[in-house]
Amino acid sequence: MDTKQNTALLRALAEVPAPLPDRGVIHVVIPHTDRFTVVGNHLAQNAGLSTTAVGFAVRIQSLPQGTEVGVKALAARFPEGEKLIAAALRELEAHGYLQRARTRLPNGRIVTRTVFCNQPAALLRPRGAAALPQQAPVAPQVTAPVPAPAPAPALAPAPARGPALAPAPKPEHHAPEAPVPQGHASFIPLVPPPTAPKPPRPPLPRPRELTPELERISAALLSDLHHHSPEFTLSEEHVHRLVPGVAAWLERDTHPDTIRHALTTNAPEPVKYPYQFVKHRLTALLPPPPHRTTVTPFQTCDGCERAFRAPTPGHCRDCRTGHAHEDQQAAA
């Protein structure tokens, strides 16, 4: 089998156009017609990336869209270990080829999406180019009349004198713009670098007053979550920390069943960190405070016993007007 392969390679080498180099690699290029991946030299010859990182970048680039490319998924597919794969992915993430972000789906489930870009430098675009200074218009050059040559001895008539025609303008060839380096001031990245600081997470909501009743109901609800979903088993310390968040929901007239449904529905499988997941949902899905309309109560008039609306007991408007009129007459 090896002899056949070597013979085929030698036969293909004989077809490589001369001259061949005396040393170094000689490429036998056979065009691909199917099942191939285009890889740029910015990746294949990147001196800042290890050979392992370049290899995994090529492997990830060759996989169909939607394929799992996490550390464990790649370790199950390829012979390298998880530590080596994780280090290679970190290298690709630092150079902009790979980006991992947690995203919320429309159904509320949180997933980690891995985005691979085959040309990170192409995500950079120049700022608005400043207007170039206008050049002064060039005055048209008028060609002086050129005298006609002396008549030849032939019988042909001499050409008439006249101005010489200017040569036709040659088409201008614009040289392609040289790529501006990545660190140039005229470029702005479209995506933040992997080392960019992340915004701080909002704090856990708290009620206006954590009464003993609210604290008791909140602790019971959190401790009972594992009966509805075994993945939501919280420790005593975690329950104590999350009690104010549940109490804030209860203070806004939210039914306990509604809170339990909001915390456990459409959860990722498996829930690796139940405390962080419950804390996030208590913060992100907090309902608005109920809109309460103040209603003025009915009072019984102390004079005519007529019912009227007022915040405190007393006389109705007619009785107050009558008393005021009587006071005026007494004063007169």
Side-chain angles (χ1 to χ4, degrees):
M1 186 66 182
D2 294 340
T3 305
K4 293 182 180 180
Q5 290 180 349
N6 294 338
T7 303
L9 183 59
L10 293 176
R11 185 169 62 251
L13 181 63
E15 299 176 0
V16 176
L20 297 178
D22 295 336
R23 63 184 64 184
V25 64
I26 300 175
H27 292 284
V28 177
V29 180
I30 302 175
H32 290 280
T33 57
D34 60 349
R35 296 182 57 80
F36 64 92
T37 301
V38 179
V39 179
N41 285 339
H42 57 85
L43 173 62
Q45 300 180 6
N46 195 327
L49 289 173
S50 64
T51 305
T52 305
V54 174
F56 274 104
V58 176
R59 285 178 166 177
I60 293 174
Q61 192 173 343
S62 67
L63 295 175
Q65 187 153 272
T67 305
E68 293 289 339
V69 290
V71 175
K72 293 187 179 296
L74 293 176
R77 181 185 293 267
F78 302 114
E80 288 80 5
E82 293 187 7
K83 292 185 178 180
L84 190 62
I85 295 174
L89 296 184
R90 286 195 295 269
E91 287 187 53
L92 296 176
E93 194 169 6
H95 284 74
Y97 289 94
L98 189 72
Q99 185 176 5
R100 290 173 284 194
R102 296 179 67 83
T103 308
R104 177 183 296 277
L105 300 180
N107 59 2
R109 182 179 179 183
I110 299 177
V111 297
T112 300
R113 283 182 173 172
T114 304
V115 181
F116 185 88
C117 179
N118 64 336
Q119 292 192 62
L123 296 178
L124 307 176
R125 65 180 179 185
R127 301 175 185 265
L132 297 178
Q134 297 182 355
Q135 300 180 355
V138 181
Q141 298 180 356
V142 180
T143 307
V146 180
L155 298 178
R161 294 176 180 270
L165 298 177
K170 297 181 179 180
E172 297 181 358
H173 296 278
H174 299 281
E177 298 181 357
V180 184
Q182 180 174 347
H184 199 271
S186 63
F187 275 77
I188 179 172
L190 297 182
V191 294
T195 56
K198 297 181 180 180
R201 296 182 178 181
L204 185 71
R206 303 186 66 86
R208 290 176 296 179
E209 181 183 1
L210 184 58
T211 61
E213 184 67 15
L214 284 177
E215 186 174 5
R216 182 186 64 81
I217 298 176
S218 302
L221 188 148
L222 292 169
S223 302
D224 190 60
L225 285 180
H226 70 278
H227 288 128
H228 301 271
S229 180
E231 297 180 344
F232 288 89
T233 302
L234 301 172
S235 65
E236 183 178 359
E237 180 182 359
H238 289 167
V239 170
H240 179 72
R241 293 181 183 179
L242 295 173
V243 159
V246 179
W249 283 58
L250 294 173
E251 190 181 52
R252 302 190 177 199
D253 296 340
T254 308
H255 195 274
D257 292 341
T258 304
I259 301 176
R260 188 180 299 107
H261 184 269
L263 296 181
T264 59
T265 304
N266 295 328
E269 298 179 0
V271 181
K272 296 182 179 179
Y273 308 102
Y275 166 72
Q276 296 291 347
F277 183 81
V278 173
K279 180 181 178 182
H280 170 75
R281 288 208 167 178
L282 286 175
T283 306
L285 304 180
L286 180 67
H291 180 71
R292 294 185 175 92
T293 304
T294 303
V295 180
T296 306
F298 281 103
Q299 307 290 348
T300 302
C301 179
D302 295 339
C304 63
E305 296 187 354
R306 181 189 301 173
F308 69 99
R309 289 187 180 273
T312 57
H315 293 84
C316 64
R317 182 174 56 183
D318 295 340
C319 292
R320 290 196 302 268
T321 304
H323 289 311
H325 183 65
E326 293 176 358
D327 293 340
Q328 291 178 359
Q329 289 182 351

